[in-house]
Amino acid sequence: MEKDLLELLAALNDKTEMIADKFKEIANELMCNYQIVSVSDKTYNIHEIEFYFLSKNHKDTSVHRHSMIAGQWRVHYSGIDISFNGCKEMNNHCKNKKCIDCKDLSSYGGILIRSIGNKEELIVGPLRVQTTLLTGGSISGSKGITLIENRGCNNNITPNTSTRCGVNFANGFEKSLYCFYNANILNDNKKNDESHVRVKNNV
């Protein structure tokens, strides 16, 4: 991963302000200039991502807590993230504690990869993305998932924004436009319950 992208990821911390602007900057860089290579050595453009970040200044309660460092892959039950720096104070006493009430909270979060694609296929949905990226490597040894820099690889798109899929009761942040998607590939659909979901653009 290039140093500039790592610096953008690592710059989010407990003192960060103008967080939505930081998300936009990272989304533009990641979606326009980087591709993901799977364990089976297939290359994909990134078509949809969602941002999750919690700090004392940004109390989004939908975020999975962790103590990883920026730029690591985080595989979990909802998909696969690119991590921001995790909470420095996390320990066994955190298990039953609400992080937003923690006086020692630093910050944590990540970028959920929701949709990827190449000329052969479009993968929509975070668990499908996770399965695609992790399937096909050899048990005798294979590369891990990697990001490669390829300037302008996604036609220098300007990502559209929407609310995140399936996020409810997040201390008000469920209404934030923290999803970024490629509108040339995906449509933003509103479901009957007023939630949003991205689907393949058939045009």
Side-chain angles (χ1 to χ4, degrees):
M1 190 185 300
E2 292 299 309
K3 184 178 179 181
D4 288 347
L5 182 56
L6 276 174
E7 287 177 350
L8 288 174
L9 297 173
L12 268 78
N13 55 52
D14 58 328
K15 297 179 177 61
T16 302
E17 298 179 351
M18 306 294 286
I19 290 168
D21 291 341
K22 299 290 186 187
F23 289 170
K24 181 178 180 181
E25 183 180 8
I26 294 169
N28 285 334
E29 179 67 11
L30 187 59
M31 294 177 70
C32 290
N33 299 319
Y34 286 85
Q35 294 172 305
I36 298 181
V37 183
S38 71
V39 298
S40 61
D41 209 31
K42 292 182 179 179
T43 301
Y44 297 91
N45 288 336
I46 301 169
H47 293 314
E48 182 188 4
I49 57 179
E50 289 179 346
F51 284 82
Y52 293 85
F53 180 73
L54 184 140
S55 71
K56 292 176 183 177
N57 300 321
H58 190 266
K59 297 182 178 181
D60 179 357
T61 54
S62 69
V63 186
H64 297 168
R65 62 186 179 183
H66 65 81
S67 56
M68 301 176 75
I69 62 172
Q72 290 186 316
W73 296 110
R74 181 173 176 271
V75 178
H76 51 86
Y77 57 81
S78 298
I80 187 166
D81 291 357
I82 299 171
S83 64
F84 299 127
N85 280 326
C87 184
K88 301 181 185 71
E89 304 301 327
M90 192 170 292
N91 54 50
N92 289 334
H93 299 295
C94 296
K95 289 181 180 178
N96 298 313
K97 184 185 292 184
K98 290 184 178 179
C99 290
I100 59 172
D101 299 326
C102 175
K103 63 181 177 60
D104 297 318
L105 174 66
S106 49
S107 62
Y108 54 85
I111 305 167
L112 178 67
I113 311 296
R114 286 198 57 91
S115 299
I116 58 175
N118 55 30
K119 291 181 180 179
E120 287 74 40
E121 57 185 340
L122 174 65
I123 312 300
V124 179
L127 289 176
R128 291 188 179 100
V129 167
Q130 181 190 96
T131 299
T132 298
L133 293 178
L134 293 174
T135 298
S138 170
I139 61 170
S140 63
S142 62
K143 296 187 299 184
I145 307 167
T146 56
L147 275 183
I148 57 171
E149 184 177 4
N150 186 357
R151 311 306 288 181
C153 59
N154 218 355
N155 297 315
N156 290 313
I157 62 163
T158 300
N160 282 30
T161 58
S162 179
T163 57
R164 296 168 295 184
C165 294
V167 174
N168 300 301
F169 310 110
N171 207 24
F173 288 95
E174 66 275 6
K175 299 175 183 177
S176 298
L177 302 180
Y178 288 168
C179 174
F180 294 79
Y181 66 97
N182 181 349
N184 296 328
I185 304 294
L186 301 168
N187 283 328
D188 180 47
N189 281 12
K190 183 180 283 190
K191 299 195 294 186
N192 291 336
D193 63 0
E194 298 298 304
S195 64
H196 288 249
V197 64
R198 258 63 61 191
V199 296
K200 182 178 179 181
N201 185 343
N202 292 315
V203 177

